[in-house]
């Protein structure tokens, strides 16, 4: 097995590669990605990587909380839990035991845009997990009693990860303030009142509506032969009966007409402020032509908070009279729904959230006035490329990226095309987006207001079993 270079050498090697004009496709892990369509319309993407005798099998379904309707929030995530509850031939709990017996690991995840399931196993057991996954995709079933029991697990997950976490509750409230019409306003885990009212038939109907082969992709990466995987996929996934994918009605967010503010009280020791700006994202149509603003926003986020000592850290946390103990900048770039550019910070002792808010906006305004340096631009581009290359050391990360691209309607080679486009982003473009998208009419400010801590509060005891 060829070992990757050490972390200390990697940035230097990458800089040398850039100087030499190497393409990203020169990386040792690169083998052509193959894409197929199975007989029932299900997509299949295969990425061979022969550096280790392991393989990842993933199934991504293009459905998430944004596809729910009011009154059933959380049903996409609940259904993810229910897919572990058995089929006519695999009893409840047996799926995970079988994967473990194969020497593998497995789990699942739900987001606003998608639901995914995966197993990583020795490459010679890939067919076994493909059979298991295809079986539960096609034949998932469970009793009302099993549903009621698992629903309590999901409610406890909400209590532990959201209701007992002030920052998570603030994020939830901020989404509900940022979006009026778009379904991204709903939490993935669901509102507790909706979970309380959820029925087994709500989940069964969601399963029947969205879990069809034409709304899903199988992604396999690792020590595999693409043609052999195609044959196995036809034998397993390809035999699942297909149903039409329901039409998705557009749910367009109306233009924002003025700044929105949210004050959120919670028992915490430190205040916190988050600034969410509505900005454009990058879709499939913009990847080849257009989309320059989205790419420039990606670079702007990295200039502000992409490395140790970046602009936000230098200005807000490292100066002698610093206003913040911590700061961050985040931008999503791609997704099925609208994108946000989020700046956040924790006020330092003796400072206020208003001062942090002002300082965060001042740094973006400084870029809008003065631009960024070529040194900053070069540094963040190198780091982006490094991240794209480093993630190929993991077959899971390779499969994960391919699944995300499919969900968003992007081609398998999107990473390479993004890098090529990002290389061309100019300092002038970064300055232009800093000036264009950070006005009051695009902004929602959410402030966490500290309240006295409950000295009698006891941490919640974790429930038995996984909180997926």
């Amino acid at each position: 097995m060829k070992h990757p270079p050490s972390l200390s050498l990697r940035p230097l090697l990458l800089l040398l590669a850039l100087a030499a004009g190497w393409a990203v496709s020169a990386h040792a892990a690169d083998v052509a990605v193959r894409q197929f369509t199975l007989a029932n319309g299900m997509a299949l993407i295969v990425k061979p990587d022969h550096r280790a005798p392991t393989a990842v099998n993933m199934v991504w379904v293009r459905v998430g909380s944004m596809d729910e309707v009011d009154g059933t929030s959380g049903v996409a995530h609940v259904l993810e839990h229910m897919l572990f509850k058995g089929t006519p031939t695999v009893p409840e709990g047996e799926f995970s035991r079988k994967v473990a017996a194969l020497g593998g690991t497995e789990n699942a995840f739900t987001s606003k845009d998608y639901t995914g399931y995966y197993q990583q196993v020795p490459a010679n057991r890939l067919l076994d997990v493909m059979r298991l996954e295809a079986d539960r995709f096609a034949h998932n079933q469970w009793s009302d009693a099993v549903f009621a029991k698992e629903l309590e697990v999901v409610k406890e997950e909400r209590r532990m990860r959201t209701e007992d976490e002030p920052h998570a509750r603030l994020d939830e409230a901020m989404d509900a303030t940022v979006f009026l019409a778009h379904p991204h306003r709903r939490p993935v885990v669901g509102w507790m009142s909706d979970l309380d009212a959820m029925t087994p038939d709500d989940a069964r109907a969601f399963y029947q509506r969205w879990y069809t082969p034409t709304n899903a992709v199988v992604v396999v990466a690792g020590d595999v032969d693409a043609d052999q995987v195609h044959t196995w996929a036809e034998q397993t996934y390809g035999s699942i009966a297909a149903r039409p994918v329901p039409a998705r009605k557009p749910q367009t967010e109306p233009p924002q007409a003025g700044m929105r503010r949210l004050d959120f009280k919670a028992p915490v020791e430190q205040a916190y402020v988050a600034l969410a700006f509505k900005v454009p994202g990058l879709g499939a149509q913009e990847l080849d032509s257009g989309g320059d603003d989205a790419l420039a926003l990606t670079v702007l986020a990295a200039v502000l908070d992409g490395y140790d000592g970046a602009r936000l850290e230098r200005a807000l946390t490292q100066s002698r009279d610093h206003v913040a103990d911590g700061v961050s900048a985040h931008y999503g770039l791609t997704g099925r729904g609208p994108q946000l550019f989020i700046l956040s910070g924790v006020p330092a002792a003796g400072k206020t959230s208003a001062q942090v808010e002002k300082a965060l906006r001042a740094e973006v305004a400084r870029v809008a006035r003065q631009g960024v340096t070529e040194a900053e631009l070069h540094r963040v581009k190198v780091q982006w490329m490094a991240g794209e290359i480093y993630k190929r050391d993991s077959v899971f990360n390779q499969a994960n990226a391919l699944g995300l691209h499919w969900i968003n309607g992007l081609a398998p080679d999107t990473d390479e095309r993004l890098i090529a486009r990002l290389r061309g982003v100019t300092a002038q473009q970064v300055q232009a987006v800093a000036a264009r998208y950070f006005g009051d009419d695009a902004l929602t400010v959410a402030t966490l207001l500290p309240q006295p801590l409950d000295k009698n509060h006891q941490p919640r005891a974790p429930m038995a079993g996984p909180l997926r």
Side-chain angles (χ1 to χ4, degrees):
M1 173 181 175
K2 182 177 179 180
H3 293 281
S6 68
L7 288 175
S8 60
L9 289 177
R10 278 175 160 178
L12 176 59
L13 292 175
L14 191 57
L15 281 168
L16 292 172
L18 282 169
W22 291 359
V24 175
S25 59
H27 189 256
D30 280 351
V31 177
V33 176
R34 300 279 299 279
Q35 188 163 6
F36 307 89
T37 301
L38 305 184
N40 58 3
M42 197 171 197
L44 169 67
I45 301 173
V46 185
K47 174 68 181 297
D49 182 340
H50 302 292
R51 292 176 297 168
T54 186
V56 172
N57 176 70
M58 305 186 86
V59 170
W60 294 71
V61 190
R62 193 177 276 137
V63 66
S65 64
M66 69 177 288
D67 301 290
E68 299 163 351
V69 297
D70 288 342
T72 61
S73 68
V75 69
H77 175 239
V78 170
L79 182 57
E80 174 221 308
H81 278 242
M82 299 314 301
L83 256 77
F84 288 84
K85 298 306 173 183
T87 73
T89 57
V90 180
E92 180 183 358
E94 195 63 24
F95 185 98
S96 296
R97 284 192 287 269
K98 285 179 178 290
V99 174
L102 295 172
T105 59
E106 47 86 40
N107 214 321
F109 45 85
T110 307
S111 82
K112 293 179 185 291
D113 297 347
Y114 52 79
T115 310
Y117 305 83
Y118 70 88
Q119 306 83 38
Q120 184 160 356
V121 293
N124 61 355
R125 308 316 297 265
L126 175 62
L127 178 57
D128 296 300
V129 295
M130 293 177 75
R131 287 173 176 150
L132 282 168
E133 189 65 272
D135 176 53
R136 75 169 173 180
F137 186 98
H139 304 120
N140 177 238
Q141 68 174 33
W142 26 266
S143 67
D144 289 1
V146 168
F147 177 85
K149 182 180 178 180
E150 191 63 24
L151 186 59
E152 294 305 312
V153 174
V154 175
K155 290 180 185 179
E156 186 65 7
E157 182 175 344
R158 177 181 168 81
R159 293 185 190 104
M160 291 179 64
R161 296 180 175 174
T162 302
E163 296 184 359
D164 287 354
E165 296 292 335
H167 283 261
R169 287 194 289 135
L170 175 73
D171 289 343
E172 184 178 79
M174 184 172 72
D175 283 345
T177 304
V178 170
F179 298 111
L180 302 180
H182 196 276
H184 273 191
R185 71 184 185 277
R186 291 191 294 264
V188 174
V189 73
W191 300 112
M192 186 61 86
S193 60
D194 287 347
L195 296 177
D196 286 337
M198 193 171 293
T199 69
D201 285 341
D202 289 332
R204 292 182 183 121
F206 199 80
Y207 171 70
Q208 288 296 322
R209 182 174 177 82
W210 296 110
Y211 277 61
T212 176
T214 46
N215 196 40
V217 63
V218 180
V219 181
V220 174
D223 190 18
V224 299
D225 176 80
D227 290 324
Q228 180 66 77
V229 172
H230 184 201
T231 298
W232 289 343
E234 288 287 9
Q235 294 169 359
T236 53
Y237 299 104
S239 62
I240 301 171
R243 302 179 300 279
V245 180
R248 289 181 165 95
K249 294 184 179 180
Q251 298 180 77
T252 305
E253 182 68 15
Q256 186 170 329
M259 185 190 302
R260 297 173 188 166
R261 284 194 177 272
L262 166 69
D263 287 343
F264 192 90
K265 297 178 180 179
V268 294
E269 294 181 344
Q270 283 186 293
Y272 169 82
V273 62
L275 289 68
F277 296 88
K278 292 189 175 82
V279 294
L282 185 73
Q285 294 181 343
E286 295 86 16
L287 188 56
D288 286 322
S289 59
D292 290 341
D293 283 359
L295 295 166
L297 286 164
T298 298
V299 175
L300 175 62
V303 167
L304 294 173
D305 183 37
Y307 53 90
D308 290 341
R311 284 194 176 213
L312 291 184
E313 190 173 293
R314 289 200 313 270
L316 276 70
T317 72
Q318 294 181 348
S319 61
R320 177 175 299 179
D321 188 28
H322 64 282
V323 299
D325 286 341
V327 288
S328 70
H330 173 75
Y331 170 59
L333 182 61
T334 62
R336 289 176 56 208
Q339 296 301 310
L340 299 175
F341 194 110
I342 298 177
L343 303 171
S344 63
V346 175
K351 304 298 182 180
T352 67
S353 296
Q355 288 174 297
V356 175
E357 175 188 336
K358 181 179 179 181
L360 288 168
R361 297 195 72 180
E363 287 308 305
V364 178
R366 184 170 288 110
V367 174
R369 292 193 313 271
Q370 302 173 0
V372 298
T373 68
E374 289 300 325
E376 287 177 305
L377 202 62
H378 180 71
R379 181 169 188 169
V380 299
K381 289 180 181 181
V382 167
Q383 288 198 319
W384 178 279
M385 288 189 63
E388 292 302 311
I389 291 177
Y390 298 164
K391 75 183 181 185
R392 301 180 189 193
D393 289 340
S394 161
V395 291
F396 176 85
N397 286 343
Q398 293 178 57
N400 194 65
L402 290 167
L404 278 171
H405 294 332
W406 185 88
I407 289 293
N408 294 324
L410 300 170
D413 66 345
T414 290
D415 286 344
E416 286 78 9
R417 294 159 70 190
L418 273 176
I419 289 172
R421 292 288 306 280
L422 280 162
R423 276 176 161 171
V425 172
T426 66
Q428 290 74 24
Q429 288 173 313
V430 177
Q431 183 175 7
V433 295
R436 185 175 298 128
Y437 293 111
F438 293 86
D440 288 355
D441 287 353
L443 173 60
T444 297
V445 179
T447 305
L448 183 60
L449 304 177
Q451 304 298 299
L453 302 179
D454 182 359
K455 296 180 180 179
N456 298 318
H457 175 74
Q458 297 293 324
R460 193 182 300 276
M463 287 187 65
L467 294 178
R468 300 189 186 278

